[in-house]
Amino acid sequence: MRVKLAAGNWKMNGLSADLAEIDALAAAHPDPRSEVLICPPATLVAAMAARTDGTAIAVGGQSCHPAASGAHTGDVSAAMLADAGATYVIVGHSERRADHGESDDDVRAQARAALEAGLKVIVCVGETEAQRDASNTLDIISGQLAGSVPDLVTGESLVIAYEPVWAIGTGRTPTTDQIGEVHDFIRARLEARFGTGVGRSVRILYGGSVKPGNATEIFAVSNVDGALVGGASLKASDFGGIIAALDAA
Ligand code: PGA
């Protein structure tokens, strides 16, 4: 059985005062059935990890450099995130791929570094609207999986997030049939590459405009093991509604 995962991605949002949202979330969900993860900006990882100690909330980073240390001004390594109390890191988010020109090779190197540092890794994949309109969605996903996911993963250390670029922050979501088609495809690719043991253990999250109001129907789709949530993870009340829907799924 895969443990469901509700992952929040705060993106470039959050100051110290916003840690109060985490206190509220922890108080409202002291013992969730699902795993709960928040990925704040790097500046808040250590403070959030200290603040969530003893709660059910885990903390992750949003990106990491492939090197462990060195002359890379402005970057953060996986070992630094782990040292600050993170247990997960997101890699290959479409905003990183677009804003920082990160390629599949870059993402794979980051994922490898994260695993070497003992972090679990959430590898993001997803098509643009033009790619979906051209019926290229599964080809794009296939290429991103092959290029971005390193070889040395386990069922527990790897999470895939399917995030259609056109659904992120737009309020638009694919139909449940479209989500199911991609999640089933990702599962089949993982089983073909890593064998059924590992392939069936990897969690596959859906991301892109998940809200309390649409979470229940998304979580009922086959091979959806949780969500990667941006905007609706910033407020404890919204994210709490998503956790409740996942716990009930
Ligand atoms: P959104 O972002 O929930 O605000 O659409 C999702 C994501 O980018 O992970």
Side-chain angles (χ1 to χ4, degrees):
M1 265 306 282
R2 297 184 291 271
V3 179
K4 311 230 180 222
L5 174 61
N9 171 14
W10 277 18
K11 309 191 179 187
M12 200 172 73
N13 298 291
L15 301 173
S16 308
D18 298 302
L19 293 172
E21 292 296 328
I22 295 303
D23 299 339
L25 191 69
H29 298 274
D31 193 19
R33 288 179 59 204
S34 311
E35 210 179 325
V36 177
L37 169 71
I38 300 282
C39 300
T43 49
L44 289 182
V45 167
M48 193 179 284
R51 195 111 159 200
T52 54
D53 198 27
T55 76
I57 300 171
V59 177
Q62 298 176 5
S63 174
C64 65
H65 193 279
S69 63
H72 302 288
T73 301
D75 278 313
V76 172
S77 76
M80 291 169 182
L81 292 171
D83 184 53
T87 53
Y88 278 85
V89 64
I90 300 166
V91 297
H93 191 284
S94 63
E95 289 154 14
R96 301 282 318 171
R97 292 179 188 260
D99 293 359
H100 299 269
E102 292 181 357
S103 66
D104 285 332
D105 283 350
D106 295 327
V107 176
R108 189 173 67 248
Q110 294 166 9
R112 201 183 297 125
L115 296 169
E116 281 167 6
L119 297 175
K120 296 178 184 179
V121 66
I122 301 175
V123 179
C124 301
V125 297
E127 81 287 1
T128 64
E129 186 156 34
Q131 290 164 340
R132 176 164 284 278
D133 288 346
S135 301
N136 284 336
T137 297
L138 298 183
D139 282 348
I140 294 295
I141 302 298
S142 178
Q144 289 176 337
L145 285 175
S148 301
V149 177
D151 289 325
L152 290 176
V153 299
T154 66
E156 291 69 43
S157 62
L158 175 67
V159 177
I160 302 292
Y162 168 53
E163 299 205 308
V165 177
W166 52 274
I168 294 174
T170 59
R172 297 167 58 207
T173 53
T175 65
T176 50
D177 281 353
Q178 288 173 325
I179 295 173
E181 178 189 34
V182 176
H183 279 239
D184 289 351
F185 178 77
I186 293 172
R187 178 73 63 211
R189 301 304 297 194
L190 292 171
E191 289 184 18
R193 178 166 166 195
F194 297 110
T196 49
V198 169
R200 283 184 193 157
S201 303
V202 172
R203 272 89 52 88
I204 307 174
L205 310 182
Y206 169 76
S209 296
V210 177
K211 307 270 181 287
N214 61 18
T216 297
E217 69 169 356
I218 291 171
F219 294 150
V221 176
S222 91
N223 281 313
V224 172
D225 302 310
L228 181 57
V229 183
S233 72
L234 295 171
K235 291 281 165 236
S237 53
D238 290 337
F239 198 51
I242 291 167
I243 294 168
L246 191 59
D247 278 357

